[in-house]
């Protein structure tokens, strides 16, 4: 086997596969450590980090509390990248006697909440005429974007809070019966 040395690969500019360099099925393209992230095209995914957990975090506080096991330590490859952060998790709202209850989760990037303004009833249930309590279970999906800003390591995590004193508690992965995932994608800009 020999080495093929080229400076630029260029795809045909017309036809069914215009502007595509094709690697045949069953073949792989192995990149060496000489590939620089700076040379990759805009829109390229530079890296992905995920965490998945099923431990329950329950909160009786109207202040935001960290969701256990949701943290990712993430170091961007380029300061100019955009980070796309997404989460999917089970969320329970529980009240023993009130006809309404609520709460929310939020994504926190390096100590700053990315998707929260001022109210904690993004997930909310209200049942007029109810003599008992409120107990809802939903799957919530969150997504937020932020500029990397630097190549320093940072912590990305979820937090949760209940709405109003009448809400007894909110929880993520109630009873540890469910799984949650937090994902960070670095996209070259």
């Amino acid at each position: 086997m020999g080495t093929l040395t080229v400076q630029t690969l260029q795809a045909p500019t017309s036809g069914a596969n215009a502007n595509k360099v094709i690697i045949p099925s069953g073949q792989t393209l192995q990149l060496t450590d000489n590939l620089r992230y700076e040379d990759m095209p805009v829109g390229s995914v530079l890296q992905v980090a995920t965490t998945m957990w099923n431990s329950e975090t329950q909160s009786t506080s109207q202040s935001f509390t960290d969701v256990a096991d949701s943290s990712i330590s993430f170091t961007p490859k380029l300061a100019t990248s955009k980070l796309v952060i997404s989460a999917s998790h089970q969320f329970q709202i529980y009240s023993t006697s009130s006809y309404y209850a609520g709460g929310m989760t939020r994504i926190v990037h390096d100590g700053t909440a990315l998707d929260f303004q001022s109210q904690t009833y993004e997930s909310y249930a209200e049942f007029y005429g109810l003599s008992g309590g409120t107990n809802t279970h939903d799957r919530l999906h969150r997504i937020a974007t932020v500029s990397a800003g630097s190549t320093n390591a940072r912590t990305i995590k979820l937090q949760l809070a209940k709405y109003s004193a009448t809400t007894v508690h909110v929880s993520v992965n109630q009873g540890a019966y469910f799984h949650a995932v937090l994902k960070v994608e670095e996209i070259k800009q």
Side-chain angles (χ1 to χ4, degrees):
M1 292 286 169
T3 300
L4 174 64
T5 303
V6 297
Q7 185 168 359
T8 304
L9 290 178
Q10 183 172 339
T13 57
S14 63
N17 293 312
N19 301 314
K20 294 180 185 175
V21 174
I22 298 172
I23 307 298
S25 176
Q27 303 295 306
T28 59
L29 178 64
Q30 177 147 351
L31 302 175
T32 67
D33 291 338
N34 296 329
L35 177 68
R36 298 178 340 131
Y37 293 105
E38 296 86 349
D39 297 334
M40 295 180 75
V42 170
S44 296
V45 177
L46 303 182
Q47 63 174 320
V48 176
T50 60
T51 186
M52 179 182 252
W53 70 99
N54 76 324
S55 57
E56 178 183 13
T57 298
Q58 187 180 96
S59 178
T60 59
S61 176
Q62 288 177 260
S63 298
F64 280 97
T65 306
D66 290 352
V67 173
D69 301 321
S70 71
S71 292
I72 293 177
S73 179
F74 191 83
T75 304
K77 302 294 185 188
L78 298 174
T80 55
S81 296
K82 177 179 10 178
L83 305 182
V84 178
I85 305 163
S86 56
S88 177
H89 60 81
Q90 184 271 349
F91 191 65
Q92 179 199 28
I93 303 167
Y94 181 74
S95 177
T96 53
S97 60
S98 175
Y99 65 88
Y100 71 92
M104 76 171 291
T105 57
R106 68 182 184 181
I107 295 171
V108 178
H109 168 268
D110 213 19
T112 300
L114 297 181
D115 57 346
F116 170 73
Q117 296 301 314
S118 63
Q119 297 299 321
T120 56
Y121 57 89
E122 184 173 40
S123 187
Y124 182 82
E126 191 167 343
F127 304 102
Y128 283 108
L130 183 72
S131 60
T134 303
N135 186 10
T136 66
H137 297 263
D138 296 297
R139 177 148 294 269
L140 302 183
H141 304 280
R142 310 202 64 76
I143 190 162
T145 61
V146 65
S147 174
S150 75
T151 56
N152 296 335
R154 74 274 323 269
T155 299
I156 299 167
K157 61 187 173 184
L158 283 179
Q159 292 184 329
L160 78 163
K162 74 174 190 170
Y163 169 70
S164 80
T166 61
T167 304
V168 173
H169 73 252
V170 291
S171 65
V172 168
N173 294 339
Q174 184 270 330
Y177 298 125
F178 309 97
H179 281 84
V181 66
L182 180 70
K183 178 169 76 169
V184 183
E185 296 173 278
E186 182 178 0
I187 312 295
K188 183 174 181 208
Q189 299 301 292

